[in-house]
Amino acid sequence: MQAKEITRRYIVFFTALTIGACGVTLVTRSHLGVNSVACLSYVSSVYLPVTMGTVVILFNLSMLISQFFLYKKTELKLHLINLLLQIPAFFFFGILVDIFMFLTKNFNPAFYALEFAALLFGSILIALNIALQATANVTMLSCDAFVKVLAEKINKKLGSVKLIYDVILVATAAGIALIFSHGSEITGIREGTVIGAIIIGPLVQLMYPRCAFLKEWILKSAKS
């Protein structure tokens, strides 16, 4: 790829991460339940002296390290650059999550309708983020890349592996909440967690074809 094409791809990619971080924050601030991938980070930040963004970074780092164990030594040489590119991506995303959480610290919807609106709009932004990442086609957040590589290695459908992965994350977050609250509450997991799991996939399918103009913009730089 030419430098101009790479630049445009990363413009789209980091725009996607910015939108995604904003979406995760809105869903979290809706108080109706955090989406499956972020629930572990949110619950950890509630009970431990760490920010949500810090846990996002640490979690993605663990998923990056896990990918090294999935690849054979001969394969690592082929995928090493992509693996290393994931590092600035998840650091950028984690820092943005903390920034947006700080900026929205006083955002507390007073009515259920406003909470639901925040949940819905946040879910739309998360879906748009995924569609834009797919359009950019450069690298991925390590948590998403791990699922993709694992599905390839065990020869299972990506959707099935993703579903099991999300269930494990939600169950782990619920377990942490029950332990730290002495069995009195399950923080961050509510109807919004389920709603997000149901609607985000179809929203991505709806949005991805509509990002074709960005793909044309990226490829136009290669042609020129």
Side-chain angles (χ1 to χ4, degrees), residues 146-187:
F146 172 79
V147 176
K148 181 175 180 291
V149 175
L150 180 62
E152 293 171 353
K153 290 300 177 182
I154 64 176
N155 196 27
K156 297 293 182 181
K157 291 182 179 179
L158 179 60
S160 301
V161 176
K162 173 65 174 170
L163 177 61
I164 296 171
Y165 179 78
D166 286 348
V167 169
I168 291 172
L169 290 181
V170 172
T172 303
I176 292 173
L178 287 172
I179 291 170
F180 280 94
S181 68
H182 305 289
S184 63
E185 63 180 358
I186 301 179
T187 305

Side-chain angles (χ1 to χ4, degrees), residues 16 19-20 123-133 203-204 207 211:
I19 292 171
S123 298
I124 291 171
L125 291 181
I126 291 172
L128 179 58
N129 147 63
I130 296 170
L132 289 174
Q133 283 192 57
L203 283 172
V204 172
M207 292 177 179
C211 294

Side-chain angles (χ1 to χ4, degrees), residues 11-80:
I11 288 173
V12 174
F13 177 73
F14 282 104
T15 300
L17 293 185
T18 304
I19 292 171
C22 183
V24 168
T25 302
L26 277 176
V27 171
T28 302
R29 293 301 188 193
S30 74
H31 305 301
L32 295 181
V34 188
N35 69 304
S36 55
V37 175
C39 64
L40 183 59
S41 302
Y42 174 71
V43 171
S44 299
S45 71
V46 170
Y47 293 105
L48 298 173
V50 291
T51 64
M52 186 175 175
T54 299
V55 183
V56 167
I57 292 171
L58 293 175
F59 176 66
N60 275 276
L61 178 60
S62 69
M63 292 296 98
L64 173 63
I65 294 171
S66 299
Q67 290 175 70
F68 279 87
F69 292 99
L70 292 177
Y71 285 121
K72 297 177 182 178
K73 288 184 178 180
T74 53
E75 294 176 319
L76 274 176
K77 294 180 180 179
L78 297 173
H79 297 281
L80 185 59

Side-chain angles (χ1 to χ4, degrees), residues 107-129:
F107 178 69
N108 292 300
F111 306 101
Y112 188 86
L114 293 177
E115 292 178 336
F116 191 81
L119 169 70
L120 185 60
F121 187 55
S123 298
I124 291 171
L125 291 181
I126 291 172
L128 179 58
N129 147 63

